Amino acid sequence: MTVIEVTELRKAYHGTPAVDGVSFTVEQGETFGVVGHNGAGKTTTVECLIGLRRPDSGTVRVLGMEPARQRRALAQRVGAQLQESELPARLKVAEALRLYAAFYREPDDWRAVLQRWGLGPIRGKSFGDLSGGQKQRLQLALALVGRPELVVLDELTTGLDPVARRETWALIGGLKAAGTTAVLVTHYMEEAEALCDRVAVFARGRIAAVGTPRELAERTGTGSLEQAYLALVESAMREEAR
Amino acid sequence: MKAFAHLTATELRLLSRDPGALFFMIAFPLMLLVLNSGNDRVEIFLPSYMAMILAIGGISVLPGIVATYRERKVLRRLAVTPVAPVALLAAQFAAQVVMGVAGSAIVVGVGVFGYDVEPPAHPLPLLLAYALCSAMVCAIGFVVAALAPRARTAELFGLLIMFPMIFLGGAAIPREGLPEELRRMGEYLPLTHAVTGLRDGWFGTPAAMPFLVLAGVTVVCTAAAAALFRWE
Ligand SMILES: Nc1ncnc2c1ncn2[C@@H]1O[C@H](COP(=O)(O)OP(=O)(O)OP(=O)(O)O)[C@@H](O)[C@H]1O
Ligand SMILES: [Mg+2]
């Protein structure tokens, strides 16, 4: 079953295109990676998937719904972590999880989520007093507390230390084993290689290539996803310079 | 409904952790009452302080909180949950009402039981004036939050509107003592009518005028806030 279907998506800000004709599909249970240079249009694209932005043209279907029109109905089944968002500074970690759990029809046990994401020791801390990585971890836990069918995580491990990053990979691996579909935006090729079934390389508002990490490496004649990424983005940049 | 109850409880808890809100909505009015307790007519201060507490909360505390939620993308995060971000604004309003009632109950309790003020002569009109005043100040607060570009400006605008209102409107100090020009200026402020309505309910003769003004300002400000509010 196809969970996400994006066709010829376009979105411009003040006349400058940010996403310029993007098409892809994501199947149920798949972990789909989105990588690309700063300003490539990754956040704009995934925000169209969760209904935060309305496409200028093209179609977006997620779980059979149109996100821009059915944002709240969709939110019941989709967990999201935004690249930039905060919680009230005086809200405590455990309170945030309990509050967000109350938003969903069939939430996970928020206490279990608290433990799973290693937030137990800081459960009584205010959001404003958390370190960057702790905030990030809480945002991930909040994205998952509603037991979503699909998760959309924008830069899920940015700001996490190497140990926390690997712990997060293990937790995402667990989601995958449970059949959850995931869209992961990341700047870490190692992460995309470890977690993603397929990866889309974004460059200048378009998808330069999409495929399994191995396919991308083979297609570009390079040895790894990292090398393939560099080759694809650099050639897109050269085109722009011309 | 469950989500809204949780949101409201959370907003109330956050408000009770805000030292500024606690001081100005609970301790400060009580302090003023004690300072004025030697006055022959302590009863005139109670309706005023109720209006003052509500105005501080609705016009100066609320816009800062709401604009911060917008600036820090708290509203945006909520937009990708099954709860509409407007529910957070409603929860903030409900929390302000509860906080205002708490502050008012303390001041009124001390006035009635501590300083032997006669209980209100017309409780129902008093209650109505109180409810309308509460709705009106929050509606004004939402207009401020809608117009201010940033959280800091929302806080500043809130203070700039709230202070003249409570001083010229007879909420912080009785208007009887104001010079003639300032007293006349006060007539154009909506909070003045709230104080009048509350006083009438406590020890005067309730009239229709204050209710109409409060209801009118509430409707206009709510419509303006709804039309002008930016979610991000
Ligand atoms: N709200 C906005 N207003 C104007 N321009 C915007 C806005 N959001 C994004 N842009 C522009 O659109 C382009 C794509 O931005 P987007 O955030 O989608 O990139 P990204 O791939 O997520 O980048 P990063 O890796 O830095 O997060 C950028 O050039 C950016 O400046
Ligand atoms: Mg981004």
Side-chain angles (χ1 to χ4, degrees):
Chain A
M1 197 185 87
T2 305
V3 171
I4 298 174
E5 197 169 355
V6 175
T7 320
E8 281 299 305
L9 173 66
R10 280 173 216 277
K11 176 85 191 170
Y13 299 108
H14 317 294
T16 313
V19 175
D20 197 13
V22 157
S23 305
F24 62 92
T25 58
V26 179
E27 299 300 316
Q28 181 165 23
E30 194 176 20
T31 302
F32 188 77
V34 174
V35 302
H37 61 84
N38 292 134
K42 304 181 297 296
T43 295
T44 304
T45 302
V46 298
E47 287 188 349
C48 287
L49 298 179
I50 51 182
L52 271 183
R53 298 200 180 278
R54 187 177 285 275
D56 294 341
S57 69
T59 57
V60 178
R61 306 283 298 176
V62 177
L63 294 165
M65 288 186 259
E66 193 182 330
R69 286 172 191 278
Q70 296 163 280
R71 186 170 73 194
R72 283 174 67 195
L74 192 63
Q76 191 64 249
R77 300 165 64 188
V78 179
Q81 179 234 326
L82 307 182
Q83 187 175 352
E84 285 183 335
S85 75
E86 292 190 40
L87 295 170
R90 291 193 179 89
L91 187 64
K92 299 191 167 142
V93 169
E95 289 169 354
L97 265 172
R98 211 177 104 190
L99 175 67
Y100 271 62
F103 294 165
Y104 297 91
R105 268 199 292 272
E106 290 170 11
D108 213 343
D109 174 9
W110 63 268
R111 290 179 193 82
V113 177
L114 195 79
Q115 297 308 328
R116 202 177 306 141
W117 287 89
L119 298 168
I122 53 163
R123 54 177 300 152
K125 262 202 169 189
S126 299
F127 183 79
D129 294 337
L130 300 181
S131 76
Q134 291 171 333
K135 285 182 181 167
Q136 182 79 356
R137 233 187 293 189
L138 175 58
Q139 297 283 11
L140 282 167
L142 292 179
L144 294 167
V145 77
R147 293 204 300 149
E149 293 163 55
L150 165 68
V151 289
V152 176
L153 308 175
D154 196 351
E155 302 207 7
L156 69 160
T157 59
T158 298
L160 293 188
D161 67 63
V163 174
R165 174 166 300 142
R166 272 165 186 76
E167 283 170 9
T168 303
W169 292 0
L171 288 162
I172 300 291
L175 280 183
K176 189 173 175 166
T180 309
T181 311
V183 175
L184 311 180
V185 178
T186 182
H187 284 301
Y188 300 100
M189 295 312 129
E190 218 193 333
E191 180 166 296
E193 218 153 22
L195 295 175
C196 299
D197 300 307
R198 283 188 309 140
V199 175
V201 181
F202 277 60
R204 297 168 51 218
R206 295 164 192 267
I207 294 183
V210 58
T212 66
R214 181 197 291 260
E215 276 168 10
L216 293 178
E218 279 168 6
R219 212 179 301 166
T220 50
T222 55
S224 67
L225 182 61
E226 177 109 24
Q227 297 292 323
Y229 170 87
L230 292 172
L232 287 162
V233 169
E234 274 162 15
S235 97
M237 290 302 177
R238 269 198 303 278
E239 238 172 79
E240 185 182 33
R242 259 193 274 127
Chain B
M1 212 47 227
K2 184 182 71 164
F4 182 67
H6 270 265
L7 266 178
T8 303
T10 302
E11 285 306 295
L12 191 59
R13 203 176 294 134
L14 293 173
L15 205 53
S16 72
R17 284 179 193 152
D18 180 342
L22 274 186
F23 177 76
F24 283 104
M25 295 179 74
I26 293 181
F28 180 64
L30 200 57
M31 236 167 65
L32 289 186
L33 182 66
V34 172
L35 291 173
N36 282 302
S37 60
N39 200 295
D40 295 340
R41 298 187 60 203
V42 182
E43 72 273 15
I44 61 170
F45 295 100
L46 297 185
S48 292
Y49 293 164
M50 289 196 281
M52 179 178 76
I53 291 166
L54 294 178
I56 290 173
I59 305 177
S60 97
V61 177
L62 180 145
I65 294 175
V66 171
T68 303
Y69 285 172
R70 176 173 56 216
E71 188 167 302
R72 305 254 171 98
K73 303 197 160 69
V74 175
L75 293 174
R76 206 153 187 266
R77 176 63 186 85
L78 212 59
V80 289
T81 70
V83 176
V86 71
L88 183 61
L89 304 190
Q92 172 59 216
F93 169 65
Q96 286 292 346
V97 170
V98 175
M99 191 76 169
V101 168
S104 305
I106 290 171
V107 142
V108 165
V110 170
V112 171
F113 297 108
Y115 299 121
D116 295 325
V117 172
E118 286 285 313
H122 313 286
L124 278 182
L126 177 76
L127 214 61
L128 181 62
Y130 188 86
L132 283 172
C133 176
S134 187
M136 179 186 77
V137 292
C138 289
I140 295 173
F142 280 120
V143 173
V144 174
L147 292 177
R150 309 190 63 84
R152 293 304 296 270
T153 42
E155 283 164 15
L156 183 67
F157 289 175
L159 287 173
L160 287 177
I161 297 172
M162 184 272 287
F163 272 116
M165 284 244 210
I166 64 171
F167 282 107
L168 300 180
I173 46 169
R175 282 174 72 226
E176 284 83 349
L178 292 177
E180 183 55 31
E181 309 82 69
L182 290 181
R183 190 159 11 156
R184 227 174 304 120
M185 272 167 71
E187 260 145 49
Y188 298 98
L189 297 174
L191 196 66
T192 311
H193 299 274
V195 174
T196 305
L198 290 164
R199 280 184 168 203
D200 290 350
W202 202 298
F203 48 71
T205 317
M209 186 62 180
F211 299 110
L212 294 175
V213 173
L214 300 186
V217 174
T218 304
V219 169
V220 169
C221 287
T222 306
L228 299 170
F229 198 82
R230 286 163 299 110
W231 295 99
E232 45 185 89

